[in-house]
Amino acid sequence: YKRQAAFGLPAMLASLAVTGVLRGLLDTRTPLVVSVIGFGANVVLNLVLVTVLDFGIAGSAFGTLVAQTAMAGGLVVVLVRRAREASTPLRPHPGRVLAAALHGAALFGRTVALRLVLLLTVGAAASFGDPALAAHQISATLWSFLAFALDALAIAAQAIVGRDLGAGRADAARAATSRLLRWGVGFGLVVGVALVAIRPMLLTLFTTDPVVVRYAAGALIVVAAGQVVSGYVFVGDGVLMGAGDHRYLAAAMAVSLAAYLPMLSLIHISEPTRRTPI
């Protein structure tokens, strides 16, 4: 799978880069349309290559490769057209590329710290055994799904705050920040309550194992309670990105990681056979 899918990495990175440019131009509709068409085509390709042509896991990877390449091509065409309309040259500027790389270094460190936290969490869950690990996978998948929903507000905050600050409208940026933070907390509260309400029915979609269901039921309460905090944090993340304060984001994630490590250490002190997941 990796040998096939690796060829799609350049297209995936190009899609991410162009999506970032379009977000900066307050165009979130084009990435949405391209994503829906591309991922829909990916599903169809996988069904045909895997189930009809019987290419196995390599067919799934090849379908993803084709879809990613097509999505990148479509986004690049849109970007080139927008650049020509604005009479903007597409030649790379070494100084600006270096400046972007320096700004991106802080975000890269932040992303690495975030992924490390998630990786260590999976390791901690695995130490409790298979049912706990399965329950963690369910909880983490639902948390990621909700995180992407909340991230829509973060993207809006990033684009709007960046636009207003760039235009010298600090008061408008503050007003947008306050409004989006309220929306984030409110949306997180609504989603958290809904998750608790549909929790029993939701778990039946993933497993019928009673042990996994019991573990996941407790974990989803934590996920639901965290949505209010997530709504505030994600919007704040977008605001700081729009303001260009990437170093603070990286420092905050590093501090969070440093606070998280002692908790993991406490888990690994005891014998695995004596641990009872919450």
Side-chain angles (χ1 to χ4, degrees), residues 125 128-139 199 203 207 209-223 275-278:
F128 288 113
D130 293 344
L133 180 60
H136 172 269
Q137 180 63 28
I138 294 173
S139 304
R199 186 176 44 135
L203 288 175
T207 181
D209 189 298
V211 179
V212 176
V213 169
R214 187 171 73 251
Y215 287 169
L220 286 184
I221 293 179
V222 179
V223 172
R275 297 175 197 158
T276 303
I278 297 176

Side-chain angles (χ1 to χ4, degrees), residues 37-275:
I37 295 175
F39 293 136
N42 193 357
V43 172
V44 174
L45 285 170
N46 286 357
L47 287 174
V48 173
L49 293 173
V50 175
T51 61
V52 178
L53 300 180
D54 198 23
F55 286 165
I57 193 67
S60 175
F62 186 73
T64 301
L65 166 64
V66 172
Q68 286 178 338
T69 303
M71 289 168 62
L75 288 170
V76 168
V77 168
V78 173
L79 178 62
V80 170
R81 187 174 68 246
R82 294 288 294 270
R84 288 177 176 173
E85 291 173 353
S87 299
T88 302
L90 293 173
R91 296 187 304 273
H93 189 288
R96 293 175 181 173
V97 170
L98 178 60
L102 293 176
H103 278 293
L107 291 178
F108 177 77
R110 164 186 169 275
T111 303
V112 169
L114 173 61
R115 300 307 302 181
L116 185 58
V117 167
L118 298 177
L119 182 64
L120 293 173
T121 303
V122 174
S127 67
F128 288 113
D130 293 344
L133 180 60
H136 172 269
Q137 180 63 28
I138 294 173
S139 304
T141 300
L142 290 173
W143 183 88
S144 298
F145 176 79
L146 297 175
F148 281 118
L150 288 169
D151 195 49
L153 290 174
I155 293 170
Q158 179 181 352
I160 293 172
V161 170
R163 178 199 62 188
D164 289 341
L165 290 180
R169 300 192 297 264
D171 291 340
R174 292 191 188 96
T177 297
S178 177
R179 186 182 305 112
L180 286 166
L181 285 173
R182 290 197 300 270
W183 286 359
V185 172
F187 184 73
L189 179 61
V190 171
V191 169
V193 172
L195 181 60
V196 172
I198 65 173
R199 186 176 44 135
M201 179 181 65
L202 194 60
L203 288 175
T204 59
L205 300 176
F206 293 92
T207 181
T208 57
D209 189 298
V211 179
V212 176
V213 169
R214 187 171 73 251
Y215 287 169
L220 286 184
I221 293 179
V222 179
V223 172
Q227 293 310 301
V228 175
V229 179
S230 295
Y232 186 90
V233 170
F234 288 175
V235 173
D237 189 82
V239 169
L240 290 172
M241 283 189 179
D245 198 350
H246 301 150
R247 291 183 179 179
Y248 182 82
L249 287 173
M253 184 55 67
V255 170
S256 300
L257 177 60
Y260 186 66
L261 290 176
M263 291 189 288
L264 287 180
S265 299
L266 291 176
I267 292 176
H268 288 286
I269 288 175
S270 60
E271 291 293 330
T273 55
R274 297 180 181 178
R275 297 175 197 158

